[in-house]
Amino acid sequence: MAITLAELAHALDAQLWGDGALRITGAAEPAQAGAAAGGSAVIAMAMAPQYAAALAPGAAALIADGMDPEALGLSGAVIVARPRLAMAGLTRALDPGPELAPGIHPTAVIDPSAEIGEGAAIGPFVVIGPRVRIGARARIAAHVTIGADSVLGEDALIHAGARIAHGVTAGARLILQPGAVIGGDGFSFVTPEVSGIEEIRHTLGHRGDVREQHWVRIHSLGGVRLGDDVEVGANATIDRGTIRATSVGSGTKIDNLVQIGHNVQIGRDCLLCGLVGVAGSVRIGDRVVLAGQCGVSDNIFIGDDVIAGGASKIFTNVPAGRVILGSPAVKMETQVEINKAIRRLPRLAAQFAELQKTVARLVQKD
Amino acid sequence: MAITLAELAHALDAQLWGDGALRITGAAEPAQAGAAAGGSAVIAMAMAPQYAAALAPGAAALIADGMDPEALGLSGAVIVARPRLAMAGLTRALDPGPELAPGIHPTAVIDPSAEIGEGAAIGPFVVIGPRVRIGARARIAAHVTIGADSVLGEDALIHAGARIAHGVTAGARLILQPGAVIGGDGFSFVTPEVSGIEEIRHTLGHRGDVREQHWVRIHSLGGVRLGDDVEVGANATIDRGTIRATSVGSGTKIDNLVQIGHNVQIGRDCLLCGLVGVAGSVRIGDRVVLAGQCGVSDNIFIGDDVIAGGASKIFTNVPAGRVILGSPAVKMETQVEINKAIRRLPRLAAQFAELQKTVARLVQKD
Amino acid sequence: MAITLAELAHALDAQLWGDGALRITGAAEPAQAGAAAGGSAVIAMAMAPQYAAALAPGAAALIADGMDPEALGLSGAVIVARPRLAMAGLTRALDPGPELAPGIHPTAVIDPSAEIGEGAAIGPFVVIGPRVRIGARARIAAHVTIGADSVLGEDALIHAGARIAHGVTAGARLILQPGAVIGGDGFSFVTPEVSGIEEIRHTLGHRGDVREQHWVRIHSLGGVRLGDDVEVGANATIDRGTIRATSVGSGTKIDNLVQIGHNVQIGRDCLLCGLVGVAGSVRIGDRVVLAGQCGVSDNIFIGDDVIAGGASKIFTNVPAGRVILGSPAVKMETQVEINKAIRRLPRLAAQFAELQKTVARLVQKD
């Protein structure tokens, strides 16, 4: 999977310098990339001046605007304005991806009523249920299961062992990492009598007589609806809705081991990082970012453009645009103040005890 | 999977009003349900007065005691006393479930010594080991593996790709969501010499000479024992015990991505929500509820009827009936007080500094 | 899988007492073990004096140095110096492990270019890609997938449904529990314009104009490199690197549902417990222990021999040898002080209000 340096510059909409005919066979950090040889090179990622020292003379490199390829002794360079964005283009250009053979593997079990789009690749031991529709050029790796009536758009990439239950709908370019589960049953139960949980929601902690409680299952009739360009990480789980579908908007990316409860509605272009948990019936706006291990209580609302720092626990509604942190989560600047004050708290407590004594002496004299 | 409105009322042990012959083909929120037509209807979930405004004239609806179907212009209604409980019955009645073909799929690999109960459905590529016994009417979806000597009760529903290791025993009506793993090896290691962890358990943080430590595995000879009516969520994991079995009592429900360590003993009718982690050798009583992302340290005891709020981290034993919150978890009412005080802490610190100055002036004058 | 008591004593490098010819068929707690009968016994785990009371007369037992087998009425005993270490040897000796038939199951789909080591056992429906190399005596259970160019060392044990992507390299004795995913794509995205997240990293919470942001994927060209004796828990996930490999050093053990992000470098002999999350590009030293539900922010450094208590959230670099706790994590002894002070904080706030009044009265009089 090699491209020329000139093709790479073109793909990145960036400036080419030097030998555009160099065949780029991979990418590496500057110290590992070495010099171009025999018309080929591993391109060095040197997109800030501090990385340039490790470049070998004669190397091919990706460098940032303002760096001088000649002074660095390069054989060729691609000069980019926004280095991190260039990484996206470079890595896409060089990624061989999982090696999925074209066509349908003979071991796949596909219901005769399913429709498979043109150019789809379906791997060994895949199981596809009744009335499923799969878009053109989908790539479905080994051991994937897709339940009845589910629909995948064009250019889906479903990695090994991902599970799509029945009644799941996805737009174009869906990516599921290995082991992701879309459409498991919601965790929704009810007791014949009022339960301890219902009681403390009203009393904030006081419980009356503790009593027997037996959980009766509320089934999940709704499916899951995913927009275009959604990505779901390895072993992440998105539960189906109770009556309407759980939904995730276009462009939203979900990391490994994230849990999305039943009935949750997530907007467009959000990022949910590793081990985030979103409880049932939460509504999340557009462009929301939840850092790793954040948690969101059930039935609350998070406005557009909210950003929550790592391990924030969100118990109440959050207005649009707010940046939050902590458990319970508050405005980030407030939490930073709180954290400082907490670090000093043991000393404050000691000083307070001193001050009490001082005042007691003053009162006595008074 | 349609039933009549009269059958539904009967199934819910609720009052029928209007056209009992209406065929109910699904359920929806009031605004989506529309009017009955051609003898069929999607039933509207309108179980509180505030939802009634969105009902279409001529709709069929599930309504709560005290609402007036005639005034609402319905064609038919089922009137229920406890709406959330009615949801359980309604959704069960309408759930088609995963479409598993009856019988044993020809691709399944089943050890000749395994016993499969009457009426069981076993999907493609399922692997069942030696001496396994599976109860009547079990439904086992594609790609499930069941290890040697494991036993499942009647009416099990094992979703795609769930993993049951060897020596796992389950009662009737077990439900495993996709990717659940029952009976992985415990995370139990020992160093030939006393390790840093053992040292700080005694010293609460002080370490002597740091030294090499190499982890030797303690194997897990015990299996896992699950009671009746246990449900385990997607990609959740329950490790096997070291000597005796890890056990989960009847009626206990475990959500997605929950981790239950080796040797843990969980009682009956508990709820463990998404991303909860229970470390090794913990004992948990009956009817305990752990909200999402709670954590429980190893070797501690949680009494009956304890309820822990979201993201509580439980480091010490909890007496029966207590409602707790926070990290480290304390009584919920205490934590609510603490949270208030922490929010005001930066201001308190500033006021304290002021007061120190005031007192200093008084002392000086004194 | 029975061994004699003498063989067991020899395997544990421990002292034998009594009838060394007893066949040991299993292990149990003292109350369950019963007496030896017919030349066989289930060995009782009685490695501390308080467990000895439950021993049946005539039992075979594992006991600690200093306990008297004769006084306990045993038929045979193995006397050990470090009981927990003895558990490792005992359980290894008695563990039948998963019952994997030798040889390659006829349903496995193995690329002709793959090399399978001598004595390997490969289960049903396993899929092995091009140019994969698997060491001698590897045991690979049902439904495992191994992507192109991956390499496993000798004596690997890969449990059912584990996923190894392309370009993963592992040393000897790798153990993957069921559903573990090694080599999923990194969660790495960039926006064409500066995003909200990049902005608040500089401003600590202040945001300028909120704007559209669309995430462009940075592909993961690096693989994953695992040392010798690495173990990865059920449904845990380790992402591939962007340019170089994500790496885990020899002897490191990773528990269930742990998430390791792209580019992370972990040293030797570490323990990462259940539900730990390590964000991208973190570097972790040797012998580090992260207890359950710990979280580590991206791009930070954790020195050798650090121990982090349960649910610690690590936002900044940690020097070697430190023992930490809390969120944000600080020295454990500091956190213990902070926790005490926080518990007393509501009372402190009330006392402070009193003191303010007292001082106000003094000032007035003054």
Side-chain angles (χ1 to χ4, degrees):
Chain A
M1 178 109 195
I3 59 173
T4 67
L5 193 66
E7 286 166 350
L8 180 62
H10 184 74
L12 301 185
D13 197 12
Q15 188 190 340
L16 173 69
W17 181 92
D19 181 1
L22 275 173
R23 294 176 64 253
I24 303 302
T25 59
E29 294 178 16
Q32 277 76 49
S40 291
V42 167
I43 192 164
M45 309 283 91
M47 294 166 295
Q50 66 268 32
Y51 302 136
L55 284 167
L62 202 65
I63 59 177
D65 252 1
M67 293 170 69
D68 178 353
E70 184 131 30
L72 294 170
L74 301 178
S75 57
V78 172
I79 305 171
V80 298
R82 184 154 158 76
R84 211 171 138 73
L85 183 59
M87 282 291 284
L90 172 83
T91 56
R92 184 174 58 242
L94 293 174
D95 187 4
E99 219 165 297
L100 299 178
I104 297 178
H105 195 274
T107 59
V109 172
I110 302 180
D111 191 276
S113 64
E115 295 172 28
I116 310 295
E118 216 175 328
I122 296 185
F125 311 122
V126 166
V127 177
I128 297 180
R131 300 171 303 280
V132 166
R133 281 181 292 134
I134 292 179
R137 296 174 304 280
R139 290 177 291 160
I140 307 202
H143 297 127
V144 167
T145 50
I146 305 181
D149 300 299
S150 286
V151 177
L152 302 190
E154 297 183 341
D155 296 299
L157 173 55
I158 313 299
H159 284 275
R163 310 290 164 191
I164 300 174
H166 60 287
V168 172
T169 302
R173 293 172 298 281
L174 173 67
I175 299 177
L176 299 188
Q177 298 293 334
V181 176
I182 314 299
D185 290 323
F187 194 70
S188 183
F189 299 92
V190 58
T191 54
E193 302 296 320
V194 171
S195 71
I197 309 175
E198 290 172 276
E199 189 180 349
I200 65 158
R201 289 214 173 202
H202 291 288
T203 63
L204 281 178
H206 290 280
R207 299 190 66 178
D209 292 337
V210 167
R211 58 184 78 74
E212 290 291 308
Q213 58 194 12
H214 179 72
W215 302 106
V216 181
R217 194 165 199 273
I218 295 178
H219 288 244
S220 300
L221 305 181
V224 176
R225 198 174 53 238
L226 308 174
D228 293 329
D229 298 297
V230 169
E231 177 161 351
V232 182
N235 287 342
T237 61
I238 303 179
D239 279 354
R240 54 200 311 109
T242 308
I243 298 295
R244 57 186 173 154
T246 302
S247 80
V248 176
S250 290
T252 287
K253 316 296 186 186
I254 295 172
D255 196 1
N256 296 355
L257 295 173
V258 168
Q259 148 67 358
I260 309 290
H262 59 283
N263 300 337
V264 169
Q265 311 288 317
I266 300 178
R268 300 170 63 99
D269 295 319
C270 298
L271 287 188
L272 276 65
C273 300
L275 290 160
V276 160
V278 180
S281 300
V282 165
R283 285 172 302 138
I284 294 179
D286 296 335
R287 296 173 302 279
V288 169
V289 177
L290 303 180
Q293 295 186 328
C294 282
V296 186
S297 288
D298 60 295
N299 283 290
I300 71 174
F301 173 74
I302 297 181
D304 292 344
D305 299 294
V306 166
I307 297 179
S312 294
K313 307 300 180 185
I314 307 174
F315 290 90
T316 51
N317 293 347
V318 184
R322 187 156 287 183
V323 181
I324 58 176
L325 185 66
S327 174
V330 295
K331 279 187 190 175
M332 187 178 279
E333 57 203 53
T334 306
Q335 188 64 47
V336 168
E337 284 307 304
I338 286 174
N339 287 352
K340 273 186 214 161
I342 284 179
R343 263 198 307 275
R344 295 172 188 146
L345 182 57
R347 203 178 49 184
L348 176 71
Q351 290 173 331
F352 177 75
E354 274 308 307
L355 194 65
Q356 274 184 315
K357 283 184 211 156
T358 306
V359 173
R361 279 194 300 267
L362 288 172
V363 169
Q364 215 164 15
K365 286 185 183 171
D366 188 60
Chain B
M1 180 109 192
I3 60 173
T4 67
L5 193 66
E7 287 166 349
L8 181 61
H10 184 74
L12 302 185
D13 197 11
Q15 188 190 340
L16 172 70
W17 180 92
D19 182 1
L22 274 173
R23 292 176 63 254
I24 302 302
T25 59
E29 294 177 17
Q32 276 75 51
S40 290
V42 167
I43 193 164
M45 310 284 90
M47 294 165 295
Q50 66 267 33
Y51 302 137
L55 284 167
L62 201 65
I63 59 177
D65 251 2
M67 293 169 69
D68 179 353
E70 184 131 31
L72 294 170
L74 301 177
S75 56
V78 172
I79 306 171
V80 299
R82 183 155 158 74
R84 210 172 139 73
L85 184 59
M87 280 291 284
L90 172 83
T91 56
R92 185 175 57 243
L94 292 174
D95 187 5
E99 220 165 294
L100 299 178
I104 297 177
H105 196 276
T107 59
V109 172
I110 302 180
D111 191 275
S113 63
E115 296 172 29
I116 311 294
E118 216 177 327
I122 296 185
F125 311 121
V126 166
V127 177
I128 297 180
R131 299 171 302 279
V132 166
R133 283 180 290 133
I134 292 179
R137 297 173 304 282
R139 290 176 293 160
I140 306 202
H143 298 127
V144 167
T145 50
I146 305 181
D149 300 299
S150 286
V151 178
L152 303 189
E154 297 183 340
D155 296 298
L157 172 55
I158 313 298
H159 285 275
R163 310 289 163 193
I164 300 174
H166 61 285
V168 172
T169 303
R173 294 172 298 283
L174 172 67
I175 298 178
L176 299 187
Q177 298 294 334
V181 175
I182 313 299
D185 289 323
F187 194 69
S188 184
F189 299 91
V190 59
T191 53
E193 301 297 319
V194 171
S195 70
I197 311 176
E198 289 172 276
E199 189 181 350
I200 66 157
R201 290 216 171 200
H202 290 288
T203 63
L204 281 179
H206 291 280
R207 298 189 68 178
D209 293 336
V210 167
R211 57 184 78 74
E212 289 292 308
Q213 57 194 11
H214 179 71
W215 301 105
V216 181
R217 193 165 201 272
I218 295 178
H219 288 245
S220 300
L221 305 180
V224 177
R225 198 175 54 238
L226 308 173
D228 294 328
D229 298 297
V230 169
E231 179 162 349
V232 182
N235 287 344
T237 60
I238 303 179
D239 279 354
R240 56 201 307 110
T242 308
I243 297 297
R244 57 186 172 153
T246 301
S247 80
V248 176
S250 290
T252 287
K253 316 296 186 184
I254 295 173
D255 197 1
N256 297 356
L257 296 172
V258 168
Q259 149 67 356
I260 308 291
H262 60 283
N263 298 339
V264 169
Q265 312 289 316
I266 300 178
R268 300 170 63 99
D269 296 319
C270 297
L271 287 188
L272 277 65
C273 299
L275 289 159
V276 160
V278 180
S281 301
V282 165
R283 287 171 302 137
I284 294 179
D286 297 335
R287 297 173 302 280
V288 168
V289 177
L290 303 180
Q293 295 184 327
C294 281
V296 186
S297 289
D298 61 294
N299 282 292
I300 71 174
F301 173 74
I302 298 180
D304 293 343
D305 300 294
V306 166
I307 297 180
S312 295
K313 307 300 179 185
I314 307 173
F315 290 91
T316 51
N317 292 347
V318 184
R322 187 156 288 183
V323 181
I324 58 176
L325 185 67
S327 174
V330 296
K331 279 188 191 177
M332 186 178 279
E333 58 203 52
T334 306
Q335 188 64 47
V336 168
E337 284 308 303
I338 286 173
N339 288 351
K340 272 186 213 161
I342 283 178
R343 265 198 306 277
R344 295 173 189 149
L345 181 56
R347 203 177 49 184
L348 176 70
Q351 291 172 334
F352 177 74
E354 275 308 309
L355 194 65
Q356 274 184 314
K357 283 185 213 158
T358 306
V359 173
R361 278 194 301 269
L362 288 171
V363 169
Q364 215 164 14
K365 287 185 184 172
D366 189 58
Chain C
M1 180 107 195
I3 59 173
T4 66
L5 193 66
E7 287 165 349
L8 180 61
H10 184 73
L12 302 186
D13 197 12
Q15 187 190 340
L16 172 70
W17 180 92
D19 182 359
L22 275 172
R23 293 175 64 256
I24 302 303
T25 60
E29 293 177 18
Q32 276 76 49
S40 289
V42 167
I43 193 164
M45 308 284 91
M47 294 165 296
Q50 66 267 34
Y51 302 136
L55 285 167
L62 202 65
I63 60 177
D65 251 3
M67 294 170 67
D68 178 354
E70 183 132 32
L72 294 169
L74 300 178
S75 57
V78 171
I79 306 171
V80 298
R82 183 154 157 75
R84 211 171 138 73
L85 183 60
M87 280 292 283
L90 172 83
T91 56
R92 185 176 57 242
L94 293 173
D95 187 5
E99 219 164 297
L100 299 178
I104 298 178
H105 196 274
T107 60
V109 171
I110 301 180
D111 191 275
S113 63
E115 296 172 27
I116 310 294
E118 216 176 329
I122 296 185
F125 310 121
V126 166
V127 177
I128 296 181
R131 299 171 303 277
V132 166
R133 283 181 289 134
I134 292 179
R137 297 173 304 280
R139 292 176 290 159
I140 306 202
H143 297 127
V144 167
T145 50
I146 305 181
D149 300 300
S150 286
V151 178
L152 303 189
E154 297 184 339
D155 297 298
L157 173 55
I158 314 297
H159 285 276
R163 309 290 164 191
I164 300 174
H166 60 286
V168 172
T169 302
R173 294 172 297 282
L174 173 67
I175 298 178
L176 299 187
Q177 297 294 334
V181 175
I182 313 300
D185 289 323
F187 193 69
S188 183
F189 299 92
V190 59
T191 53
E193 303 296 321
V194 170
S195 71
I197 310 175
E198 289 172 276
E199 190 180 348
I200 66 158
R201 289 214 173 202
H202 291 287
T203 63
L204 281 179
H206 291 280
R207 298 189 67 180
D209 293 336
V210 166
R211 58 184 76 75
E212 290 291 308
Q213 58 193 12
H214 178 72
W215 301 105
V216 181
R217 193 165 201 273
I218 296 178
H219 288 244
S220 302
L221 305 181
V224 177
R225 198 176 53 238
L226 308 174
D228 293 329
D229 298 297
V230 169
E231 178 163 350
V232 182
N235 288 342
T237 60
I238 303 179
D239 280 354
R240 55 199 310 107
T242 307
I243 298 296
R244 55 187 174 152
T246 301
S247 80
V248 176
S250 290
T252 287
K253 316 296 185 183
I254 295 173
D255 197 1
N256 296 356
L257 295 172
V258 168
Q259 149 67 358
I260 308 292
H262 59 283
N263 299 340
V264 169
Q265 312 288 318
I266 300 178
R268 299 170 63 99
D269 295 319
C270 297
L271 287 189
L272 277 65
C273 300
L275 289 159
V276 160
V278 180
S281 300
V282 165
R283 286 172 302 139
I284 294 179
D286 296 335
R287 297 172 303 279
V288 168
V289 177
L290 303 179
Q293 296 185 327
C294 282
V296 185
S297 289
D298 59 295
N299 282 291
I300 70 174
F301 173 74
I302 298 180
D304 292 344
D305 299 295
V306 166
I307 297 180
S312 294
K313 308 300 180 186
I314 306 173
F315 291 90
T316 51
N317 293 346
V318 184
R322 187 156 288 182
V323 181
I324 57 176
L325 185 65
S327 174
V330 295
K331 277 188 191 176
M332 186 178 278
E333 57 202 53
T334 306
Q335 188 64 46
V336 168
E337 283 307 303
I338 287 174
N339 287 351
K340 272 186 212 161
I342 284 179
R343 265 197 307 276
R344 295 172 189 149
L345 182 57
R347 202 177 50 183
L348 176 71
Q351 291 172 332
F352 177 74
E354 275 308 309
L355 193 65
Q356 275 184 314
K357 283 185 212 156
T358 306
V359 173
R361 279 194 301 269
L362 288 171
V363 169
Q364 216 164 16
K365 285 184 183 172
D366 188 58

